[in-house]
């Protein structure tokens, strides 16, 4: 959906123009993946088969919601066509498990609730909720991926390392997003943030880039421009034995359209892959 809301076209670009064989699913046809009906799910599977594409993970909005009774710090929220309450999360997880089976993937992406002004009083309970979700996923031989997200309570490399230590479940892994980590003033996602992470627990990676403004605000950038050194990050992942997906999630729209912008960022990403010594 970073290319087009027309899923057939997005899949065509990914397979035929970008030369990919795997894609991450978050939404299509202006709907979140978790809101697709049976006919839409069947159509999406037909399209995947048409272009010989497999699914890396379910990019779900699981736990992208308020923690009950806590004052949230997050004001502007990008929900990607999803808006589930805290009380709907257990049912949402069950649905995501079904979706993982539907699309033959072993990974479900999640978050850890909208960012609080002070998460410390609630952190233990949030970790317990993540652990319970990981336990349920384990019963289905699935991996639960926590994305570090600036609008949620695990945003930086430091915070990700702390959450992983607090939730030691073997199937609870990190969706490492250096671009998200780079939105924080003074953060150095690679090498500093990355070096704090337990490498064997990185189970997915998002590629984007960001520019920080002096006033503390930030703007998304094409992958080749910004605070994240993607050549260095990709080289480190390869040297550390990472062998899962790197998914382009650019968020940048500076070329005028999502597709034109994604084409530029994919070119940047492939250049970084080549420069890092990885195959592309």
């Amino acid at each position: 959906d970073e290319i087009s809301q027309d899923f057939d076209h997005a899949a065509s670009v990914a397979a035929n123009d970008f030369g990919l064989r795997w894609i991450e699913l978050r939404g299509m046809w202006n709907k979140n993946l978790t809101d697709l009906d049976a006919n839409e799910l069947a159509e999406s599977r037909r399209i995947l088969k048409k272009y010989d594409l497999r699914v890396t993970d379910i990019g779900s909005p699981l736990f992208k919601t308020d923690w009950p009774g806590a004052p949230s710090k997050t004001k502007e929220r990008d929900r990607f066509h999803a808006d589930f309450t805290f009380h709907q999360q257990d049912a949402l997880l069950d649905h995501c498990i079904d979706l993982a089976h539907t699309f033959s993937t072993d990974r479900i992406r999640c978050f850890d609730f909208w960012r609080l002004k002070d998460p410390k009083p609630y952190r233990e309970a949030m970790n317990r909720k993540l652990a319970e979700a990981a336990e349920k996923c384990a019963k289905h031989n699935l991996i639960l991926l926590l994305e570090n997200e600036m609008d949620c309570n695990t945003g930086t490399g430091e915070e990700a390392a702390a959450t992983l230590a607090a939730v030691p479940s073997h199937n609870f892994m990190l969706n490492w997003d250096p671009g998200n980590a780079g939105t924080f003033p003074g953060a150095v996602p690679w090498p500093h943030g990355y070096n704090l992470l337990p490498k064997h627990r990185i189970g997915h990676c998002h590629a984007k880039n960001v520019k920080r403004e002096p006033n503390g605000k930030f703007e998304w950038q094409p992958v080749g421009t910004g605070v994240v050194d993607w050549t260095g990050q990709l080289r480190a992942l390869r040297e550390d034995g990472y062998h899962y997906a790197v998914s382009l999630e650019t968020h940048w729209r500076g070329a005028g359209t999502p597709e034109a912008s994604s084409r530029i960022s994919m070119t940047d990403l492939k250049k970084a892959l080549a420069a890092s010594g990885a195959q592309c």
Side-chain angles (χ1 to χ4, degrees), residues 113-134:
F113 309 97
W114 294 123
R115 197 167 183 90
L116 303 178
K117 295 178 180 178
D118 180 12
K120 292 185 183 66
Y122 310 95
R123 190 67 255 185
E124 184 177 351
M126 288 190 287
N127 290 341
R128 189 159 54 247
K129 189 68 175 176
L130 293 171
E132 290 170 356

Side-chain angles (χ1 to χ4, degrees), residues 214-232:
N215 61 6
K217 295 183 179 181
F218 64 86
E219 291 184 5
W220 299 122
Q221 297 292 297
V223 165
T225 304
V227 303
V228 182
D229 172 6
W230 272 103
T231 297

